[in-house]
Amino acid sequence: MKLIDYTGQLNNHNEYLKVIKQLEKKCKNIEYVLVDEGETKFIDQFKNFIISSRYKNKWWGTKSSKKNKIYIIKSSKEIFNYLKQFETFCKYITLNNGDIVEETQFGINDIAFFDDKEMPLLFTTTHEGYITIRDDLLK
């Protein structure tokens, strides 16, 4: 199993839903990073599933000069049903004059999904449009 750059590959809802369904089967815990401290709807909605929280300046796919609050959340059917409502995490579009990131209703907070061995299945740097996925999720 290896991690591959999947940036720009989840730009449509159908592809996103396929990945969400695979994540739901294999995910044990979710790491949710408040890049935007005011964007707490996900945390508020699933506070009963929170295992722990801490401030860090490094998480999967990102290193920041600022410490952000990171939540470890137990995976649940309710969370995946919630995630299915979004078009995708973010859209990364390549144009002639450069690449752009389109924010979706998911917001700009980063999210990562881990299996029962705490190995990453997928993680995002959402505000930059980057997505990394484990290759066995695509089979």
Side-chain angles (χ1 to χ4, degrees), residues 18-32 42 49 51 71-81 83 89 111-123 134 136-137:
K18 286 179 192 174
V19 168
I20 292 294
K21 287 176 185 175
Q22 289 298 321
L23 288 170
E24 187 173 6
K25 292 177 193 175
K26 296 182 179 190
C27 181
K28 181 178 179 191
N29 291 319
I30 298 167
E31 184 178 84
Y32 189 80
F42 183 86
F49 296 97
I51 296 168
Y71 293 87
I72 305 299
I73 304 163
K74 183 176 176 20
S75 177
S76 71
K77 182 163 186 61
E78 294 88 345
I79 290 173
F80 285 99
N81 285 340
L83 291 172
F89 296 118
I111 193 165
F113 302 86
F114 298 90
D115 66 14
D116 59 350
K117 294 178 177 68
E118 297 183 20
M119 297 301 298
L121 297 162
L122 179 145
F123 57 89
R134 204 166 77 192
D136 63 320
L137 238 61

Side-chain angles (χ1 to χ4, degrees), residues 102-117:
E102 282 186 21
E103 184 180 330
T104 68
Q105 66 275 43
F106 177 77
I108 66 166
N109 290 333
D110 294 348
I111 193 165
F113 302 86
F114 298 90
D115 66 14
D116 59 350
K117 294 178 177 68

